[in-house]
Amino acid sequence: MRWLKFLLLAIGVGVLIYIVSSVNIEETIKLLQKIGMGMGLILCLYFLAFLIDTFTWQLTLKDIPLTAAWTYRFFQMRLAGEAFNNLTPLAGMGGEPLKAILLNKYYSVSYRDGIASVIIAKTINVLALILFLAIGFLFVLNSTDLNIRYKSIAGVGLITFSTAVVLFYLFQRLKITSATSNLLPKHKLPAWMRSALMRIVELEDHLASFYKKQLIRFSWALFFALGNWVLGALEIFYIMRFLDHPISLPDAWIIEAMTQLVRAGTFFIPASIGAQEGAFVIIGGAISGSPSAGLAAGVIRRIREIIWIGWGVLVFYISKPDLALVDAPNTKMPKKE
């Protein structure tokens, strides 16, 4: 399906070209030149957000010690995984199997536990995003810069996205696959299908067990995940200030919320290229009064993403030995499958 990836990428690039052609490029370039040393702060904010997201993932594996050394290892694995997430059109899931593979290869975490951890981390992340979007929608309703059309689109998008995420969570929490499989005549199923169902049921039991028995870890992970999204809004807040188009924190929250909603809706395009920039131009332009400032903010966000993708690819292809486990006598790890 490589042709499909290139087709979707071409669509995204086409949208990007159209957006760029509709904005004053000279003004955008002048605004970009104002970022200067401010780019350092933007990268620091994202580093902190990435670190928080890493710790959120670490919390989903109860057998992993919550130490700085382990956070560093998870940070490296997440760098590699997120690089592939951004490069593949799979709703930000293309790099998740890679994380489970790295956990198994370097730290002897079973594939079941590794896959469960990335599913739980992703679920917590999108549940926190719902909270972030809900607060953002309240800001949208109170905004005088956005007309009723923007508010209606935001409302429909929030409801649709929230419904999908809640169903995804309940599917795990209520063990729907297990309940469905019990209705099937297993003796009539092929051996490979029975084996696959058994593995899925085991994974589902693991997911449901975490949500039921690890409430403290779940709550803390949700709290940190929400903090990660808030840092995204803070990043927009400072970007617009560096561009000499200062906006309020609620307005920055709106731009980040709407951009993330657009990214969720355009998951089939690698890195949501074109769609993300369009959100910045439309929403950022409406709030700041300058579409060029919106595009400049989108370009800065994209530069930051490219830096992180490059770092992740380097970690995967060059720094893999650094992931190796340093034996800890008091650490009991799950058996390797």
Side-chain angles (χ1 to χ4, degrees):
M1 298 297 285
R2 182 175 295 181
W3 65 270
L4 179 59
K5 180 173 72 172
F6 285 112
L7 175 61
L8 294 171
L9 180 61
I11 292 173
V13 172
V15 173
L16 179 60
I17 292 173
Y18 172 77
I19 291 168
V20 170
S21 66
S22 64
V23 176
N24 189 324
I25 298 302
E26 291 184 3
E27 182 183 355
T28 302
I29 293 174
K30 289 179 181 179
L31 290 173
L32 286 171
Q33 292 172 344
K34 294 182 178 182
I35 188 69
M37 298 300 293
M39 194 66 194
L41 175 60
I42 303 307
L43 291 174
C44 287
L45 285 173
Y46 189 64
F47 178 87
L48 180 58
F50 200 90
L51 185 63
I52 288 174
D53 235 6
T54 298
F55 188 66
T56 299
W57 177 30
Q58 187 179 351
L59 281 168
T60 65
L61 279 164
K62 60 184 179 64
D63 293 318
I64 297 294
L66 299 177
T67 63
W70 276 102
T71 301
Y72 168 72
R73 295 162 189 155
F74 271 71
F75 189 92
Q76 286 190 299
M77 288 185 288
R78 189 167 184 277
L79 270 174
E82 290 303 311
F84 284 86
N85 273 340
N86 281 292
L87 294 173
T88 54
L90 295 171
M93 293 294 286
E96 302 308 306
L98 175 60
K99 297 176 186 177
I101 291 171
L102 292 175
L103 277 170
N104 179 262
K105 180 177 181 180
Y106 293 107
Y107 307 121
S108 299
V109 175
S110 70
Y111 285 121
R112 185 202 65 181
D113 291 347
I115 292 171
S117 75
V118 296
I119 291 175
I120 293 170
K122 181 65 71 173
T123 302
I124 290 171
N125 194 265
V126 292
L127 285 173
L129 180 56
I130 289 178
L131 296 175
F132 180 80
L133 293 176
I135 297 172
F137 183 63
L138 294 178
F139 291 146
V140 168
L141 291 178
N142 291 326
S143 176
T144 58
D145 297 312
L146 302 177
N147 58 37
I148 188 64
R149 184 166 64 91
Y150 289 111
K151 296 176 181 181
S152 299
I153 293 174
V156 172
L158 174 61
I159 292 172
T160 303
F161 179 73
S162 300
T163 301
V165 171
V166 170
L167 289 175
F168 179 59
Y169 168 73
L170 291 177
F171 196 89
Q172 303 169 50
R173 182 68 170 74
L174 301 178
K175 300 194 293 185
I176 302 298
T177 301
S178 301
T180 304
S181 66
N182 290 333
L183 302 176
L184 298 175
K186 294 184 177 59
H187 62 282
K188 295 183 179 181
L189 298 176
W192 67 267
M193 190 175 292
R194 290 197 303 271
S195 177
L197 275 175
M198 182 179 69
R199 288 182 176 275
I200 292 173
V201 169
E202 288 177 354
L203 175 62
E204 201 171 48
D205 288 340
H206 192 84
L207 296 173
S209 176
F210 179 87
Y211 295 128
K212 292 178 182 178
K213 299 179 181 180
Q214 302 295 327
L215 290 178
I216 294 178
R217 280 178 175 256
F218 176 77
S219 300
W220 275 112
L222 192 63
F223 171 79
F224 281 115
L226 179 59
N228 170 53
W229 294 117
V230 173
L231 281 173
L234 193 61
E235 182 184 62
I236 299 299
F237 174 79
Y238 281 110
I239 287 176
M240 298 305 288
R241 282 187 172 272
F242 291 134
L243 297 178
D244 285 341
H245 283 79
I247 58 176
S248 67
L249 187 56
D251 283 339
W253 196 301
I254 291 173
I255 295 174
E256 178 67 1
M258 296 293 283
T259 301
Q260 292 303 330
L261 199 55
V262 168
R263 284 186 66 102
T266 56
F267 62 86
F268 46 86
I269 300 176
S272 289
I273 188 169
Q276 176 173 289
E277 285 74 18
F280 272 104
V281 169
I282 295 172
I283 305 301
I287 290 176
S288 68
S290 171
S292 295
L295 179 58
V299 170
I300 292 170
R301 171 65 64 86
R302 188 65 72 184
I303 290 172
R304 183 262 284 162
E305 288 179 1
I306 291 172
I307 291 172
W308 240 255
I309 290 172
W311 189 5
V313 171
L314 286 174
V315 165
F316 180 71
Y317 287 108
I318 298 177
S319 304
K320 285 189 289 185
D322 292 341
L323 292 169
L325 175 63
V326 177
D327 292 333
N330 296 323
T331 301
K332 183 179 180 181
M333 296 297 300
K335 293 182 179 179
K336 185 174 182 178
E337 289 184 351

